[in-house]
Amino acid sequence: MTVDVQSLEIPDVKVIKPKKHGDHRGFFSEVYNKSIFSENGIDLDFIQDNQSYSAQAGTLRGLHYQGGEFAQDKLVRCVRGRILDVAVDIRKGSPTFGKWVSAEISAEEWNQILVPVGFAHAILTLVPDTEIIYKVTNYYAPTHDFGIRWNDPDLGIDWGMAESDVVLSDKDKVQPLFKDVVHWF
């Protein structure tokens, strides 16, 4: 397996592009190999795979994170469509605390993003019928499930889309503002 690993402006968040081998039959790609990832500095124990489908372009899921003993690293890939993936550093004391990075992840580009523990995470679908699969390093724990308002003016995230075009869950409409969050890393 060959992978290309690129750090974003916040170096702990990485875009990963596995090698894709194709011919007249289609393609093959080893999208995750613990040993190869470890050789590239990503030594995580993923314990659960999740899959999410969004029918509409503009569906935003986030900014979410789990705290405490249930914190999660996430490895996200898009198997159909395109997403804008956003990670906000919520590690108190980090030089990039309160800063965000984003990357476009798509089935066409065959890339993935690693969002480590200590980041609030969101995805915004850029086209209809988008599907993602993501690995996590810890189980879902509702009592440790937290969030931050997606359009918090103090964060100033550039979603590249008008607020009126964003589709949100009721939960994500009322997440606290960044300045009001009490569960940091």
Side-chain angles (χ1 to χ4, degrees):
M1 173 184 181
T2 305
V3 303
D4 178 35
V5 179
Q6 300 292 320
S7 293
L8 295 180
E9 294 83 23
I10 299 175
D12 293 335
V13 181
K14 301 178 184 318
V15 173
I16 301 159
K17 190 167 185 176
K19 181 77 171 161
K20 194 174 187 182
H21 308 276
D23 61 22
H24 67 282
R25 301 167 298 162
F27 71 87
F28 171 82
S29 182
E30 193 173 68
V31 297
Y32 176 74
N33 177 305
K34 185 172 180 63
S35 176
I36 301 295
F37 271 57
S38 183
E39 289 172 14
N40 283 276
I42 303 167
D43 194 16
L44 300 170
D45 186 18
F46 292 106
I47 61 168
Q48 179 176 310
D49 282 0
N50 300 319
Q51 188 164 350
S52 173
Y53 168 79
S54 298
Q56 292 179 266
T59 299
L60 193 144
R61 299 174 187 269
L63 296 155
H64 302 150
Y65 64 98
Q66 284 194 177
E69 64 190 281
F70 291 98
Q72 298 175 319
D73 302 277
K74 296 177 183 176
L75 179 63
V76 181
R77 66 189 186 102
C78 190
V79 294
R80 181 170 36 161
R82 286 185 304 128
I83 62 170
L84 179 69
D85 196 289
V86 174
V88 177
D89 189 346
I90 57 172
R91 301 170 296 176
K92 275 265 198 211
S94 165
T96 55
F97 178 74
K99 305 291 184 206
W100 59 272
V101 291
S102 66
E104 189 172 303
I105 305 298
S106 71
E108 183 180 340
E109 286 297 315
W110 207 249
N111 55 356
Q112 306 176 66
I113 189 165
L114 176 69
V115 180
V117 164
F119 287 79
H121 177 247
I123 64 121
L124 173 68
T125 61
L126 301 175
V127 296
D129 298 317
T130 295
E131 203 164 347
I132 65 169
I133 294 175
Y134 59 104
K135 297 179 164 315
V136 294
T137 57
N138 214 332
Y139 298 107
Y140 175 68
T143 57
H144 290 75
D145 183 14
F146 305 110
I148 299 169
R149 186 93 43 90
W150 70 280
N151 61 350
D152 186 320
D154 288 340
L155 295 177
I157 297 170
D158 180 5
W159 296 100
M161 186 175 290
E163 285 195 27
S164 59
D165 293 334
V166 173
V167 180
L168 296 164
S169 69
D170 290 341
K171 172 184 165 183
D172 287 341
K173 290 177 184 175
V174 296
Q175 295 285 10
L177 295 172
F178 186 76
K179 66 182 179 185
D180 298 326
V181 170
V182 295
H183 301 284
W184 301 115
F185 286 88

